[in-house]
Amino acid sequence: MEFTITQISLHEIALPLVEPFRTAHGDTFVRRLLLTELVDADGVRVLGECSALETPDYLPETIDSAWTAIRDHLAPAILGKTFASPAEVSAALEVTIPSHNMAKAAIEMPTWALAAVKEGVSLSEFIGGTRKMVETGLAIGLQDSPSVLAAKVEGAFAQGYARIKMKIKPGADLEYIEAACMAADGGAHIQVDANCSYTLEDVEQLREMDAFGLMLLEQPLAWENLEAHAALQREIETPISLDESLDGLESVRNMIRLQAGKIVCLKPGRVGGFTTALQIHDLCREKGIPLWCGGMLESGIGRAYNVALASKPGFTLPGDLSPSRRYWAEDIVSPEWVMNEGGEVGVPVELPGLGVEVDRDRIRELTLRSEVV
Ligand code: MG
C-alpha cells in the first residue's frame, strides 16, 4: 500500500472552551488550535491536529512555531513523495530539523489515518488496538482553594471518571492533595501533575505525599534532568511518571536504565507521532512499564488519535480522554466523544480511519487563518 501526499493545508481555529483554561499567562477562553489537512494522489483527505499550545508553558513549541516549522521545513520533505508506510514518513521528517516533535506529529499522524482509510479499517485496528473501550480520567487545573477542588473531585467521581489528575505546584500541594483524597476516599485513584515545578531541594515536601497513597506523581522536576528524577525516586515511595522528559524512544530507554520513573505518560505529539509512540508502547510492554495516554486540550480530532492509541494493550492506566463536553460547548466532530457511567469512552471501529466525521462547516466558521503549503 503506497501513498503520495499531494497537498498539505494548515488551518488555525479558535475553539471556545466551556470553562477558562488557566496558565501562567492568565485565563484563556478559547483554544487556538492548529489543524492539518493532507490529501493524497487518490484524493483521500484526512485531518490531523497539532498538540502545541498557544504559549510555551508546557514545552518550547507553540502553535506559531509549529506552523512555521511545517510550512518551511517539514511539509516540503514529504510533499509529492511516495511512501510505503507512515513509518517512512516519520523517518523522512526526522532528518529535516531537530526537535519540533509536535509539528512533526501534526503531519505524521494523519498519514496513519490515511493508511487506515486506504486499508478500509479503523485507525485502532490498523495499529493493533485490542480494546473496544478505554478508561477515562479527568484532569483538573489549579483551583482557588482546597474546598473548591474537593467539590470538583467529588463531582468527577460521581460522573464516573476512573481517576482524577490534579495539578500541583510549590505552595499549592499538600493541603490540596489532602482535600482531594478526603473527597475521593483515599489516593488510589488520584494522580498529581507538577509540570516540572519542583527541585531536589523540595524532597521533604515531596516525600510527605507518600502518606496519601497516590497513583503517581507526574513530572515533578525539570524535564531535561533524568538523573534528578532517579535521585528523587530513590527517596520517595510514590511512583514517578514522566511526561515532559520523554521526547522519544531514547529518553524512555534512559528513564528505564536510570530508574528515573516507573510509569510512562505517552502523548504522541510530544514524541513526533505514532511511529515513535508505538515503539515506546512496545518497549514499555516488554519491560513491564505501565502506560497512560496524556492530553493536550485536544479537539475531537486529536481525541480520535489518542483513543485509537490508548486501545493498545500496554495502556493499563486511565488516560486524559475526557468526553467532548468537558472542554467544548460544541466539538468539531460528530458524533461527539461521550463517556459512559463506568468512565469509559468507546473506540470507534465502524468507519475506516478516525471513526468520526469532521464537521467542516463548523471548522470553516471557527477558522482564523488557512494556508496551503
Ligand atoms: Mg503532565
Side-chain angles (χ1 to χ4, degrees):
M1 181 264 308
E2 285 185 345
F3 56 87
T4 308
I5 306 296
T6 54
Q7 191 184 82
I8 297 178
S9 317
L10 305 175
H11 308 283
E12 180 184 337
I13 64 167
L15 191 56
L17 287 151
V18 291
E19 64 177 61
F21 178 64
R22 186 174 299 172
T23 73
H25 300 262
D27 289 353
T28 168
F29 292 84
V30 294
R31 166 76 155 113
R32 282 180 64 203
L33 196 60
L34 168 53
L35 300 179
T36 53
E37 187 171 14
L38 275 58
V39 186
D40 88 335
D42 297 329
V44 180
R45 199 171 275 270
V46 284
L47 277 138
E49 176 173 328
C50 182
S51 60
L53 302 175
E54 181 171 347
T55 53
D57 312 88
Y58 167 73
L59 282 172
E61 285 189 90
T62 65
I63 76 161
D64 297 301
S65 73
W67 188 292
T68 310
I70 293 170
R71 184 192 58 205
D72 298 345
H73 304 287
L74 303 175
I78 64 169
L79 269 173
K81 305 211 168 85
T82 299
F83 296 98
S85 68
E88 283 191 3
V89 174
S90 175
L93 293 172
E94 207 37 61
V95 296
T96 53
I97 50 172
S99 305
H100 293 279
N101 284 352
M102 296 183 195
K104 288 172 182 167
I107 52 175
E108 190 258 15
M109 287 161 65
T111 67
W112 286 87
L114 174 73
V117 169
K118 295 179 88 92
E119 292 278 304
V121 298
S122 70
L123 181 58
S124 168
E125 186 179 342
F126 187 70
I127 63 170
T130 52
R131 292 172 209 281
K132 297 287 171 270
M133 306 294 285
V134 292
E135 272 197 316
T136 301
L138 178 69
I140 301 180
L142 290 164
Q143 300 297 312
D144 291 333
S145 71
S147 60
V148 171
L149 173 67
K152 291 207 169 177
V153 168
E154 224 166 280
F157 282 119
Q159 281 177 65
Y161 281 102
R163 64 97 172 120
I164 303 299
K165 153 174 160 170
M166 51 178 280
K167 297 282 185 181
I168 55 165
K169 64 175 186 184
D173 44 28
L174 295 171
E175 255 187 297
Y176 283 82
I177 296 171
E178 185 177 18
C181 290
M182 297 260 286
D185 212 11
H189 301 286
I190 293 194
Q191 62 184 68
V192 298
D193 186 4
N195 289 107
C196 312
S197 58
Y198 293 83
T199 72
L200 276 181
E201 309 269 293
D202 303 310
V203 66
E204 290 306 325
Q205 191 83 351
L206 294 165
R207 193 186 284 122
E208 281 188 54
M209 291 177 198
D210 283 346
F212 300 107
L214 300 169
M215 284 178 80
L216 59 90
L217 165 60
E218 188 181 341
Q219 195 69 45
L221 311 175
W223 60 272
E224 62 274 46
N225 202 339
L226 286 180
E227 283 83 2
H229 281 97
L232 177 63
Q233 185 67 88
R234 287 193 292 273
E235 298 292 325
I236 65 172
E237 296 286 326
T238 310
I240 292 176
S241 176
L242 294 181
D243 174 1
E244 284 91 330
S245 289
L246 306 178
D247 62 354
L249 186 60
E250 202 50 39
S251 53
V252 177
R253 280 209 188 98
N254 288 336
M255 180 203 89
I256 296 170
R257 180 173 56 78
L258 295 166
Q259 298 185 293
K262 296 178 176 173
I263 297 170
V264 164
C265 166
L266 190 49
K267 294 177 179 171
R270 199 192 59 224
V271 301
F274 264 25
T275 304
T276 304
L278 293 170
Q279 290 169 342
I280 291 172
H281 168 272
D282 293 349
L283 173 68
C284 289
R285 228 183 146 210
E286 182 195 316
K287 301 284 185 188
I289 306 274
L291 291 152
W292 60 281
C293 184
M296 292 293 294
L297 213 55
E298 287 86 8
S299 78
I301 294 173
R303 180 68 77 249
Y305 287 95
N306 285 358
V307 166
L309 184 62
S311 72
K312 294 279 288 180
F315 287 85
T316 52
L317 297 174
D320 288 338
L321 304 166
S322 50
S324 300
R325 292 296 162 101
R326 156 72 177 127
Y327 293 116
W328 318 116
E330 190 185 346
D331 207 337
I332 54 175
V333 298
S334 86
E336 294 197 334
W337 294 95
V338 293
M339 181 178 79
N340 69 18
E341 286 174 2
E344 296 169 317
V345 167
V347 180
V349 288
E350 301 298 318
L351 294 171
L354 295 184
V356 284
E357 300 281 0
V358 174
D359 186 342
R360 287 177 182 279
D361 290 336
R362 175 138 174 86
I363 290 176
R364 217 165 293 126
E365 280 167 25
L366 299 170
T367 297
L368 301 175
R369 56 171 169 159
S370 285
E371 189 170 351
V372 178
V373 179

